[in-house]
Amino acid sequence: MSDLETLKSDFEAAIQAAADNEALEAVRLDALGKKGRISEQLKQLGQLPPEDRKQAGQALNILKDQIAEAIAARAKTLGAEAMNKKLAEEQIDISLPIAQQAQGFAHPLSRTIEEITAIFSDMGFVIAEGPDIETDYYNFTALNIPPEHPARQEHDTFYLMPDEAGQRPVLRTHTSPVQVRTMQKMKPPIRLIVPGRTYRSDHDATHSPMFHQCEGLVIGENIHMGHLKGCLIDFCRAFFGVDDLPVRFRPSFFPFTEPSAEVDIGCSRSDGGLKIGAGDDWLEILGSGMVNPRVLENCGYDPEQVQGFAFGMGIERLAMLKYGIPDLRTFYDSDMRWLRHYGFVSADMAALHTGLGGE
Ligand code: DAH
């Protein structure tokens, strides 16, 4: 056997004997590494007489390729063996019960806001926002509630420290200031709702110092009371899911609307229980009216050119009525048992936005 053949069979045996990648790498270095035995021989080719050099060079290069191939093949085999071993050892027992994952729930207030938003989005309304800390001007004056107006007392306002100009900012007592803010920024036609936090210094089973309202505003040419009624009747029926829900518009007063109407829905009260949509009793659920021309003027509109209607509803109240939640304070207790009972799973929340009423 020539030297090269011995070398070849030595290496082949070593390659086959390599039990892991590390051992295989050691063989590779021994054969093909910079100081490997084949590399060394290649370096010495120069010392051979020219007539032998070519043949020896070819033979060495062939050997080099063969060894490289054998190493690659062995690496592949080792890889496959390792994978099979892993698969055999790491069997998954699919009969084991899965680990319990804590399930999250959407708060009924979030749910109610989503429902209101979905209904009005279907009618082409967009969502607007405004600051929680308001100026006296936007919260009251621009809405036709001048200083000394009795309506200011009814709002139980939280006042903040006066600014440099001596003006006391307020925590907004309603979402109505966003009407003015948006009218000043946008041109009619306008169709928006404003779900958001509001604040009043009041605390009992039906009042919380922080609560939520949803304002609505429609402004355009020739908007009249018929639009207001149609829109709010549709809303009440969609929200409570009662197609023939009786809806009543009762004359009322708000400084920022003229005329104003409180909206009542039909219900029955018996044995301490409340049933919505049946019976001969009424339940007040929101305030509304045609936007007072003074408010339009405060926003830079000409009341001869554009008119509009507005409405405002308490979100907690709507949620309590729809989901039978008896005490408003429980909304903010962060009690997981309560949330598990009254909350909603996320899949149901997502389904709301596939379009209400459309199959
Ligand atoms: N801002 C009123 C409140 O907090 C609710 C309201 C009533 C808003 C009538 C309106 C409206 O836009 O037209 O009690």
Side-chain angles (χ1 to χ4, degrees):
M1 239 204 281
S2 78
D3 281 356
L4 283 194
E5 273 171 12
T6 321
L7 207 54
K8 185 178 172 201
S9 57
D10 276 2
F11 280 133
E12 277 173 352
I15 289 168
Q16 286 319 310
D20 54 32
N21 285 333
E22 219 174 307
L24 191 60
E25 177 62 6
V27 181
R28 193 189 66 79
L29 287 174
D30 186 22
L32 311 172
K34 255 192 200 163
K35 293 189 177 151
R37 283 188 270 166
I38 297 177
S39 311
E40 288 296 334
Q41 294 216 16
L42 279 166
K43 277 185 220 156
Q44 284 160 20
L45 280 176
Q47 292 159 17
L48 290 180
E51 58 276 21
D52 298 341
R53 207 178 288 161
K54 191 174 170 207
Q55 214 198 352
Q58 273 177 353
L60 268 173
N61 274 318
I62 290 172
L63 176 62
K64 191 178 150 194
D65 290 348
Q66 286 171 333
I67 298 300
E69 254 171 58
I71 290 175
R74 181 67 186 150
K76 215 170 153 189
T77 311
L78 285 176
E81 278 173 11
M83 176 59 86
N84 286 337
K85 191 166 169 244
K86 207 169 168 200
L87 286 175
E89 280 171 3
E90 293 182 9
Q91 270 184 19
I92 297 170
D93 183 351
I94 55 166
S95 69
L96 279 176
I98 56 158
Q100 279 292 322
Q101 296 234 341
Q103 157 130 49
F105 292 91
H107 195 282
L109 277 179
S110 308
R111 165 79 183 197
T112 307
I113 291 171
E114 291 289 320
E115 287 174 4
I116 295 170
T117 318
I119 295 168
F120 283 110
S121 308
D122 267 6
M123 297 189 204
F125 283 68
V126 297
I127 296 179
E129 286 182 325
D132 288 20
I133 298 176
E134 258 305 357
T135 61
D136 185 279
Y137 175 76
Y138 282 114
N139 198 76
F140 295 119
T141 312
L143 289 162
N144 197 32
I145 315 176
E148 313 312 326
H149 192 287
R152 290 202 177 202
Q153 267 71 59
E154 285 160 28
H155 278 216
D156 299 313
T157 313
F158 284 115
Y159 286 94
L160 278 72
M161 297 295 282
D163 58 21
E164 305 89 64
Q167 296 287 329
R168 285 193 300 172
V170 300
L171 291 183
R172 67 177 180 193
T173 57
H174 50 177
T175 40
S176 305
V178 188
Q179 282 189 23
V180 181
R181 286 183 174 276
T182 1
M183 277 195 271
Q184 287 179 345
K185 272 188 288 194
M186 290 168 68
K187 283 202 171 71
I190 292 175
R191 220 186 285 184
L192 56 89
I193 54 165
V194 187
R197 277 189 280 269
T198 45
Y199 308 84
R200 291 187 199 180
S201 177
D202 213 350
H203 197 207
D204 60 35
T206 51
H207 296 93
S208 145
M210 190 281 297
F211 58 106
H212 297 76
Q213 285 191 343
C214 183
E215 192 76 13
L217 178 71
V218 173
I219 302 283
E221 284 176 21
N222 302 318
I223 299 288
H224 53 72
M225 197 81 184
H227 296 122
L228 177 156
K229 289 177 75 177
C231 171
L232 292 178
I233 291 172
D234 276 0
F235 166 74
C236 293
R237 293 184 172 164
F239 181 79
F240 288 103
V242 181
D243 286 344
D244 55 356
L245 179 70
V247 180
R248 179 174 83 169
F249 292 81
R250 187 166 34 81
S252 183
F253 173 80
F254 299 103
F256 33 88
T257 46
E258 184 59 40
S260 305
E262 221 115 25
V263 181
D264 300 341
I265 55 172
C267 70
S268 69
R269 291 182 179 88
S270 55
D271 313 324
L274 177 75
K275 194 154 183 270
I276 287 168
D280 48 14
D281 218 343
W282 295 99
L283 185 69
E284 178 198 319
I285 59 158
L286 58 93
S288 68
M290 300 304 295
V291 178
N292 192 311
R294 289 198 191 160
V295 176
L296 293 173
E297 279 166 0
N298 289 340
C299 300
Y301 293 173
D302 177 357
E304 296 295 326
Q305 304 259 300
V306 288
Q307 299 77 36
F309 67 86
F311 52 89
M313 55 189 96
I315 296 176
E316 278 81 355
R317 179 165 167 74
L318 288 179
M320 286 166 82
L321 289 171
K322 183 160 175 177
Y323 297 114
I325 302 171
D327 190 329
L328 178 107
R329 289 168 292 203
T330 57
F331 278 111
Y332 317 106
D333 282 346
S334 303
D335 183 334
M336 280 306 293
R337 294 162 305 173
W338 183 89
L339 192 58
R340 240 174 260 126
H341 182 80
Y342 288 111
F344 295 85
V345 294
S346 55
D348 291 347
M349 293 285 283
L352 278 176
H353 288 281
T354 53
L356 282 188
E359 258 84 69

